[in-house]
Every structure is written in structure tokens, then in C-alpha cells.
Amino acid sequence: MARPARQSMAAPIGRFVRGSGHHLTRSIAAALKIKLHVSGIAYRGPEAILKATGDPMTALRPLVLACILAVPLGAHATDATVTDEMFVTSDQVDLNQFKWKKRPLVVFADTADDPAFAEQMELLRALPEELERRDVVVITDTDPDARSDLRLKLRPRGFMLVIVGKDGGVKLRKPFPWHVREISRSIDKQPERKREIREMKERARGR
């Protein structure tokens, strides 16, 4: 007895898509138009492709590709904004403006060419999300001749990494570069950070 032929799902799906035609294409295009505009990608509707080919599936291909590309581009733009706001120089800020708001992480060196300074900045920029999660702002000072208020207060010698708490007190000094994981562990041991973690857990349970 002959087995019944297995029907491919491609034909019914194809008929459905083509039957939906313009409505399907335009609905997806409308949704993507907003997404692509926000992501900074130039948008051109599928009408020209649809008119030339008569095939909605062909018209959808560039839109699907653009959608895939739009997500990482938007994410990178957000990351860049966060990083720019997180890293500042000592002449731009005053420690008092961060009290009870941010945890200043101060990186001193006698010159920006100091290998220890370059290594520390590379480590910090590699994991900005960990710093952001702990409300860290990175302040750099590589000009001892400027005698900034921050330098006069903390009195570094050559390269120095200083962790300042939200209360304005110095929590830790290191004369060598430190990995973000070590910095994070040090911050998480601080009483004010422990309180923040406890409060976040309580809010999560209350949802």
C-alpha cells in the first residue's frame, strides 16, 4: 500500500504570505520604520521592491536584515553614551556633587602615558556595565602641575587608584591597576552597597 505523500508546509505558508500580500509587508514595514529611525538607519519602504518583483517575501528581506542590524547598533549607541557620562576629568567635577549619588573611582597618574594608567583605563572601559550597576563615576587626573582640588585632597604619588564611597569617604587606595571584578567585590563589601543590594531584593520580592 502506497504511503500518502507528505505535504510540504512551504506551499501553504507561501500562499498565506502572498494572499496577505501588501497588508503583511506594510504592517511589518510600519513597525520597523520607527525602530530603524531610532537606531539611526536610513529607511526606505518596500513598495519599490514589491512593485518591481510582485513578491512580498522579496520585499521583506531587506527589512528583516535591517531589523537585525538595528538592534546591536542601537545598543552600541546606548553603551557609548553611558561610557561618555561615566568617565570625566578632575577639572570637570567636584567630589561634593556626587555625595550620596555616585561612587567616585579616581585614577591618578603623573602623565596619561603612564603604562599603569593606560592599563587601568583599558580595564575600566572593558566592563562599564559593572561600574554602572554600582553607580560608579570614573574621575581621571594626569596633570600634577594643575594641582587640582582632588589631587590636593587625596595626595597621590605617581599612579594611584582611589575608591570613594557615596558618603564621600576614601574606602580604598591601590598603587597599581585593579581589575573591575576586584573593584566590584571591594564595593560590594561596603555597608552602603550591602544596604542597596538588600533594598533591591526587597523591591523585587514586593513585585
Side-chain angles (χ1 to χ4, degrees):
M1 181 176 178
R3 293 182 180 179
R6 295 176 64 183
Q7 292 185 347
S8 170
M9 291 298 293
I13 292 173
R15 285 195 296 271
F16 170 76
V17 172
R18 285 170 174 76
S20 302
H22 300 288
H23 296 294
L24 177 64
T25 304
R26 287 173 179 167
S27 296
I28 297 177
L32 288 178
K33 186 172 184 179
I34 298 173
K35 187 177 187 65
L36 297 179
H37 174 73
V38 171
S39 301
I41 296 176
Y43 170 80
R44 294 185 66 183
E47 289 82 2
I49 302 173
L50 186 61
K51 184 176 181 180
T53 64
D55 184 1
M57 294 301 290
T58 302
L60 285 175
R61 285 172 191 157
L63 287 172
V64 173
L65 178 60
C67 182
I68 293 171
L69 293 174
V71 173
L73 281 175
H76 291 325
T78 302
D79 291 344
T81 301
V82 169
T83 304
D84 289 343
E85 294 176 350
M86 186 182 298
F87 292 82
V88 297
T89 56
S90 59
D91 61 336
Q92 296 176 307
V93 296
D94 182 325
L95 274 185
N96 291 328
Q97 74 186 73
F98 299 118
K99 196 166 185 178
W100 304 118
K101 298 176 183 177
K102 296 285 186 180
R103 292 185 172 87
L105 183 67
V106 191
V107 186
F108 289 105
D110 290 342
T111 170
D113 295 327
D114 185 333
F117 177 80
E119 180 183 351
Q120 183 64 76
M121 297 308 294
E122 183 178 353
L123 290 171
L124 296 175
R125 291 185 183 279
L127 291 171
E129 65 278 2
E130 293 298 323
L131 301 176
E132 182 189 18
R133 188 175 295 124
R134 292 166 176 80
D135 297 327
V136 169
V137 57
V138 178
I139 307 173
T140 59
D141 187 326
T142 58
D143 185 5
D145 293 336
R147 297 178 61 81
S148 66
D149 292 340
L150 199 57
R151 186 174 283 271
L152 292 174
K153 179 178 180 179
L154 299 178
R155 298 183 178 280
R157 292 183 179 179
F159 175 85
M160 182 172 286
L161 174 70
V162 184
I163 300 177
V164 180
K166 284 189 175 181
D167 60 357
V170 174
K171 306 302 180 182
L172 188 72
R173 296 173 184 258
K174 287 290 176 181
F176 48 80
W178 235 26
H179 196 283
V180 171
R181 287 192 297 269
E182 296 170 314
I183 294 171
S184 298
R185 282 195 290 267
S186 176
I187 291 174
D188 289 346
K189 292 177 182 178
Q190 297 173 15
E192 58 202 38
R193 175 60 181 165
K194 288 182 178 179
R195 186 185 69 250
E196 290 173 356
I197 295 173
R198 186 169 60 252
E199 290 174 350
M200 284 189 291
K201 290 181 178 178
E202 290 174 354
R203 285 196 297 269
R205 285 197 295 267
R207 289 177 183 174

